[in-house]
């Protein structure tokens, strides 16, 4: 009765104001019924309720210990009913804190640190960090209350899930001032959170405190530390931690190896990643699908598709489950490299294992066949894809349009684009650039121009590929002034002029014998910091050689060397151009100049010139050069030994 009176003030008030007969006592007497004016001091039995005060609030925990009522070996813990009721009040409303105050005052309760920590770990609060912070702040204002270590750790964990670096730093600054004694669980949780956010300084602080508090790191601790260092690109530091694991009592497991492999791949050290894969075997740690997928992704990013295929075969031979993403990368990589048959073989193996292909895989195979000119097979795959219930997307249709355009089937490509328009498929710049290029190659330049303007009208911003396709079409069919107009428009509309753009225009200007304009454009390109390619120099040197300015071409070639541009076949291309144009004398003069300056050995230049003459249809001179000592032989004039010049070929 005493406990009931203490916890229920309304009951106490009813008793005090009751006019009913006295209650019986255990000693045979009776307790008086106190009237409204009765004094507590008049009866010592009621002194504990003097001044009409309420008892202090009771601390509540997240679990109820039922071990004293339920017979079993482990402790029987049941979730406290208070958890659900408090969680319902955390609704994020403007009066959330006042609702919590009212509730706790009504039931005379206070939330213990373990209760607060438990609620902060709930899924609902981890999804809504603003509410979590408000609850944490409110709980800290309870009288005679101090947040525990686990409260801070739970809040930091919730904030880390959402990547709230600044808030985590603020909470952690308060945490450090508290001077808590670290535990294994809190250390692991903090290292995991800081590692995911790349907060290396905070991560290492926790690691030092573990050492100071005599906490031995577990395998999980090491793995969390490795992951944190790798995520922050501190791969060398992670290497040292890994070495400690290898030489210590706690050896690395597959997670440790996968973390290091991921770290090496992210910093471009694929070779070291492969070394780690092989070292797993020596320590009897079996790689899993994550190991192989990480390596395959890295190889794909570097364009090493042969290694992708090799790793795929290794997974297959071990009988491991192959993730769908691996098929995407392997088939996609092989198709990019033009190995469509190998890609198709992997595709059929995938189907044979009951793994369904997705749109990306079909698109890669269709694109590979289209680029090889095998549009028949590409269209069969396209139909097969639709029969299997896969809906082609704009990328797939773009590949089809591009393939048809490149194979001269422009009308079919235009029909495909119209189908996309009428069926809600987004028509992007790839469609237009493919069609403009296809029309240009067929000489349908007016239609290409019209399509370009239609593209602009439809508010589809042309990219550099569209501009280049149209400029190329105009330049090849002698409309160089229109090409220049589009070239200038490109710059005005903020589309970057690429090295390919300059190459097209320079080539077009030389074709129209506007050599000085072409040279000026080359200088503008260099001034803009656009690095020439071998193709760009080939266009320039071809134009200069055909206009009799071979020396100018050689001078420009010398100027490219300090820029790190050294076209390997530059001289070979120039000799081929001159021989093809019937300018054998100039070709021989160029060959002598190349050898005299020590740029190439005579034997190689001799071979190049023989091949150039043969390709140009000048077989007689090619045979004469082959059976002579020109270029490689020497004549002796008195005591002087001189190499036989290439010019002897046309002088004799």
């Amino acid at each position: 009765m005493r406990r009931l009176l203490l916890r229920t003030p309304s009951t106490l008030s009813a008793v005090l104001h009751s006019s009913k007969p006295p209650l019986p006592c255990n000693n045979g007497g009776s307790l008086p019924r106190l009237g409204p004016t009765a004094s507590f001091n008049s009866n010592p039995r009621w002194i504990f309720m003097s001044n009409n005060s309420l008892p202090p609030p009771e601390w509540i925990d997240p679990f109820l210990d039922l071990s004293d009522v339920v017979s079993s070996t482990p402790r029987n813990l049941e979730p406290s009913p208070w958890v659900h009721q408090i969680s319902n009040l955390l609704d994020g409303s403007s009066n959330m804190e006042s609702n919590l105050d009212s509730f706790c005052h009504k039931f005379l309760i206070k939330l213990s640190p373990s209760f607060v920590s438990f609620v902060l770990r709930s899924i609902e609060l981890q999804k809504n960090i603003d509410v979590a912070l408000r609850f944490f702040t409110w709980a800290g204002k309870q009288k005679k209350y101090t947040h525990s270590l686990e409260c801070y750790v739970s809040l930091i964990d919730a904030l880390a899930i959402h990547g709230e670096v600044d808030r985590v730093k603020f909470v952690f600054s308060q945490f450090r001032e508290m001077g808590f004694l670290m535990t294994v669980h809190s250390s692991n949780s903090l290292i995991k959170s800081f590692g995911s956010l790349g907060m290396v300084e905070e991560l290492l602080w926790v690691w030092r405190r573990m050492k100071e508090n005599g906490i031995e790191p577990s395998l999980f601790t090491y793995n969390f530390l490795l992951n944190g260092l790798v995520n922050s690109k501190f791969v060398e530091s992670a290497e040292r931690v890994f070495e400690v694991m290898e030489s210590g009592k706690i050896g690395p497991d597959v997670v440790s190896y996968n973390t290091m492999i991921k770290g090496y791949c992210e910093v471009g050290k694929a070779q070291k990643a492969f070394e780690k894969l092989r070292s797993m075997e020596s320590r009897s740690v079996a790689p899993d699908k994550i190991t192989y997928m990480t390596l395959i992704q890295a190889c794909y990013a570097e364009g090493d598709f042969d290694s992708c295929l090799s790793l795929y075969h290794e997974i297959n031979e071990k009988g491991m489950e192959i993730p769908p993403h691996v098929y995407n990368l392997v088939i996609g990589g092989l198709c990019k490299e033009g190995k469509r048959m190998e890609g198709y073989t992997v595709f059929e193996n995938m189907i044979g294992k009951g793994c369904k292909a997705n749109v990306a895989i079909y698109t890669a195979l269709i694109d590979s066949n289209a680029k090889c000119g095998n549009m028949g097979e590409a269209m069969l795959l396209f139909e097969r894809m639709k029969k299997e219930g896969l809906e082609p997307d704009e990328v797939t249709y773009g590949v089809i349009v591009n393939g048809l355009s490149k194979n001269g089937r422009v009308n079919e490509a235009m029909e495909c684009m119209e189908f996309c328009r009428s069926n809600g498929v987004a028509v992007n710049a790839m469609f237009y650039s493919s069609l403009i290029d296809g029309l240009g190659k067929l000489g349908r330049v007016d239609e290409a121009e019209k399509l370009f303007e239609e593209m602009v009208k439809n508010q589809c911003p042309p990219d550099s590929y569209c501009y280049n396709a149209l400029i190329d079409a105009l330049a090849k069919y002698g409309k160089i002034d229109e090409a220049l107009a589009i070239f200038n428009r490109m710059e005005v509309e903020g589309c970057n002029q690429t090295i390919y753009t300059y190459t097209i225009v320079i080539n077009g200007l030389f074709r129209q014998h506007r050599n000085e304009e072409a040279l000026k454009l080359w200088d503008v390109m260099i001034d803009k910091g656009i690095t020439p390619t071998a193709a760009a120099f080939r266009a320039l040197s071809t134009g200069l050689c055909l206009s009799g300015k071979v020396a100018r071409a050689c001078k420009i070639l010398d100027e490219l060397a300090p820029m790190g541009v050294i076209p390997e076949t530059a001289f070979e291309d120039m000799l081929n151009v001159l021989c093809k144009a019937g300018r054998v004398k100039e070709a021989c003069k160029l060959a002598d100049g190349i050898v005299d300056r020590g740029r190439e050995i005579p034997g190689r230049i001799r071979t190049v010139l023989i091949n150039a003459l043969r390709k140009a249809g000048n077989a007689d001179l090619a045979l004469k050069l082959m059976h002579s000592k020109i270029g490689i032989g020497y004549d002796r004039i008195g005591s002087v030994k001189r190499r036989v010049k290439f010019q002897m070929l046309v002088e004799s």
Side-chain angles (χ1 to χ4, degrees), residues 257 261 270-280 295:
Y257 276 102
I261 287 170
Q271 186 59 42
K272 283 199 169 187
F274 274 97
E275 288 172 10
K276 275 285 178 281
L277 172 66
R278 301 311 166 203
S279 69
M280 292 176 79
L295 284 165

Side-chain angles (χ1 to χ4, degrees), residues 33-255:
R33 296 279 184 185
L34 299 180
T37 58
S39 171
F40 284 120
N41 295 330
S42 62
N43 194 323
R45 295 178 186 271
W46 298 93
I47 196 157
F48 69 92
M49 292 186 295
S50 62
N51 299 323
N52 199 26
S53 63
L54 295 176
E58 179 182 351
W59 291 97
I60 60 171
D61 285 319
F63 295 102
L64 297 175
D65 188 354
L66 303 179
S67 56
D68 55 344
V69 294
V70 179
S71 160
S72 80
T73 306
R75 292 181 66 190
N76 286 269
L77 298 176
E78 289 290 332
S80 168
W82 296 109
V83 172
H84 179 68
Q85 295 182 66
I86 292 294
S87 296
N88 285 341
L89 296 173
L90 303 179
D91 54 5
S93 62
S94 58
N95 56 348
M96 185 182 83
E97 287 82 359
S98 61
N99 290 342
L100 286 166
D101 288 333
S102 301
F103 184 86
C104 292
H105 180 74
K106 177 180 179 180
F107 292 100
L108 295 177
I109 59 171
K110 285 202 293 185
L111 312 187
S112 69
S114 60
F115 189 98
V116 173
S117 172
F118 182 81
V119 174
L120 285 170
R121 282 200 188 94
S122 67
I123 296 172
E124 291 76 13
L125 284 199
Q126 289 196 339
K127 287 180 179 177
N128 196 331
I129 52 173
D130 290 327
V131 173
L133 274 168
R134 287 174 62 185
F135 175 63
F136 180 84
T137 304
W138 173 88
K141 294 177 181 177
Q142 297 180 99
K143 290 183 180 179
K144 297 181 180 178
Y145 174 92
T146 304
H147 281 306
S148 69
L149 168 68
E150 289 304 318
C151 290
Y152 281 99
V153 171
S154 299
L155 180 61
I156 288 171
D157 181 53
L159 292 169
I161 291 171
H162 293 270
E164 295 281 344
V165 177
D166 292 335
R167 285 178 168 180
V168 168
K169 285 184 176 180
F170 176 75
V171 174
F172 186 64
S173 65
Q174 295 180 333
F175 169 88
R176 291 176 66 165
E177 293 173 3
M178 302 299 292
F180 291 117
L181 187 69
M182 301 298 289
T183 64
V184 175
H185 175 267
S186 62
S187 301
N188 286 347
S189 184
L190 288 173
I191 288 175
K192 181 181 179 181
S193 296
F194 294 146
S196 67
L197 296 173
M199 298 170 63
V200 178
E201 184 181 341
E202 289 79 3
L203 185 150
L204 294 176
W205 183 90
V206 176
W207 183 259
R208 287 193 296 271
R209 287 300 299 271
M210 285 180 65
K211 297 292 184 182
E212 292 169 7
N213 295 163
I215 299 172
E216 285 296 322
S218 65
L219 177 60
F220 291 107
T221 314
Y222 276 117
N223 284 343
F224 289 146
L225 180 61
L226 283 174
N227 190 55
L229 292 170
V230 164
N231 286 342
S232 306
K233 302 295 187 291
F234 283 76
V235 179
E236 291 182 1
S237 300
E239 278 183 313
R240 290 194 288 272
V241 173
F242 193 85
E243 287 166 5
V244 170
M245 293 179 73
E246 286 184 310
S247 59
K249 294 182 292 184
I250 301 175
D253 64 353
V254 66
V255 176

Side-chain angles (χ1 to χ4, degrees), residues 223-483:
N223 284 343
F224 289 146
L225 180 61
L226 283 174
N227 190 55
L229 292 170
V230 164
N231 286 342
S232 306
K233 302 295 187 291
F234 283 76
V235 179
E236 291 182 1
S237 300
E239 278 183 313
R240 290 194 288 272
V241 173
F242 193 85
E243 287 166 5
V244 170
M245 293 179 73
E246 286 184 310
S247 59
K249 294 182 292 184
I250 301 175
D253 64 353
V254 66
V255 176
S256 317
Y257 276 102
N258 286 350
T259 304
M260 287 305 304
I261 287 170
K262 180 182 78 169
Y264 286 132
C265 290
E266 286 180 351
V267 297
K269 296 182 178 179
Q271 186 59 42
K272 283 199 169 187
F274 274 97
E275 288 172 10
K276 275 285 178 281
L277 172 66
R278 301 311 166 203
S279 69
M280 292 176 79
E281 299 170 0
S282 61
R283 295 188 69 97
S284 300
V285 179
D288 60 9
K289 61 183 180 182
I290 302 297
T291 317
Y292 285 105
M293 192 157 68
T294 305
L295 284 165
I296 289 172
Q297 282 179 322
C299 293
Y300 182 87
E302 291 183 2
D304 185 2
F305 304 127
D306 287 335
S307 294
C308 288
L309 185 60
S310 176
L311 288 164
Y312 161 77
H313 286 313
E314 195 170 322
I315 305 174
N316 209 19
E317 287 167 8
K318 290 183 177 181
M320 296 170 63
E321 179 191 354
I322 301 175
H325 189 53
V326 168
Y327 284 115
N328 281 7
L329 295 173
V330 174
I331 295 171
L334 289 169
C335 289
K336 274 188 176 182
E337 206 168 47
K339 298 180 177 179
R340 62 186 182 86
M341 292 309 298
E342 290 89 336
Y344 193 79
T345 301
V346 175
F347 168 76
E348 290 298 345
N349 287 340
M350 177 186 72
I351 300 297
K353 289 186 176 182
C355 185
K356 289 188 177 181
N358 55 27
V359 174
I361 290 174
Y362 270 109
T363 301
L365 288 166
I366 291 167
D367 188 40
S368 180
N369 277 283
K371 284 177 179 175
C372 292
N374 194 355
M375 275 308 296
E377 185 64 31
M379 296 307 292
L380 285 173
L381 283 165
F382 182 65
E383 294 301 325
R384 177 176 173 179
M385 170 186 174
K386 290 191 288 185
K387 283 180 182 177
E388 290 186 9
L390 294 171
E391 191 66 33
D393 57 13
E394 63 269 20
V395 179
T396 315
Y397 280 113
V399 163
I400 293 290
V401 169
N402 186 53
L404 290 169
S405 299
K406 285 191 182 301
N407 285 276
R409 297 162 64 174
V410 178
N411 291 337
E412 292 176 66
M414 294 185 80
E415 287 173 9
C416 183
M417 187 170 79
E418 288 302 322
F419 172 84
C420 291
R421 280 175 175 164
S422 57
N423 286 274
V425 179
V427 175
N428 53 35
M430 182 181 177
F431 286 76
Y432 285 104
S433 58
S434 299
L435 283 166
I436 290 167
D437 184 57
L439 288 167
K441 282 183 170 58
L442 292 175
R444 296 158 66 175
V445 182
D446 292 338
E447 290 178 69
E449 284 186 280
K450 186 179 177 182
L451 193 62
F452 182 86
E453 294 304 331
E454 178 190 308
M455 176 185 184
V456 175
K457 186 179 177 181
N458 290 338
Q459 296 184 340
C460 180
D463 56 14
S464 60
Y465 293 102
C466 292
Y467 276 107
N468 291 344
L470 182 58
I471 292 169
D472 188 43
L474 292 167
K476 280 180 179 175
Y477 285 90
K479 296 186 176 184
I480 191 62
D481 288 322
E482 291 180 51

Side-chain angles (χ1 to χ4, degrees), residues 473-526:
L474 292 167
K476 280 180 179 175
Y477 285 90
K479 296 186 176 184
I480 191 62
D481 288 322
E482 291 180 51
L484 284 168
I486 298 294
F487 176 82
N488 294 326
R489 176 178 169 181
M490 187 177 183
E491 186 173 23
V492 170
E493 294 186 1
C495 186
N496 290 331
Q497 296 161 330
T498 65
I499 181 60
Y500 184 55
T501 318
Y502 279 96
T503 303
I504 294 168
V505 178
I506 288 169
N507 192 36
L509 287 168
F510 273 120
R511 281 185 179 182
Q512 296 296 311
H513 308 293
R514 294 162 68 169
N515 302 344
E516 289 305 316
E517 289 180 67
L519 285 167
K520 284 180 183 177
L521 194 60
W522 176 272
D523 292 336
V524 168
M525 180 185 78
I526 299 297

Side-chain angles (χ1 to χ4, degrees), residues 556-623:
I556 292 173
L557 182 60
D558 290 338
E559 291 170 355
L560 293 180
M563 299 169 60
V565 180
I566 306 174
E568 293 181 5
T569 61
F571 292 119
E572 186 174 340
D573 294 335
M574 291 165 71
L575 289 170
N576 277 318
V577 167
L578 290 169
C579 290
K580 190 175 180 180
R583 299 183 179 183
V584 180
K585 187 175 181 179
E586 291 176 61
C588 291
K589 186 177 178 182
L590 175 62
D592 284 326
I594 295 168
V595 175
D596 290 342
R597 294 190 184 187
R599 290 166 170 168
E600 286 286 355
I601 58 173
R604 183 176 182 276
I605 293 299
R606 177 185 164 91
T607 304
V608 169
L609 190 53
I610 289 170
N611 288 330
L613 289 166
R614 183 179 54 80
K615 288 177 184 176
N618 207 331
D620 292 339
L621 282 179
L623 284 169

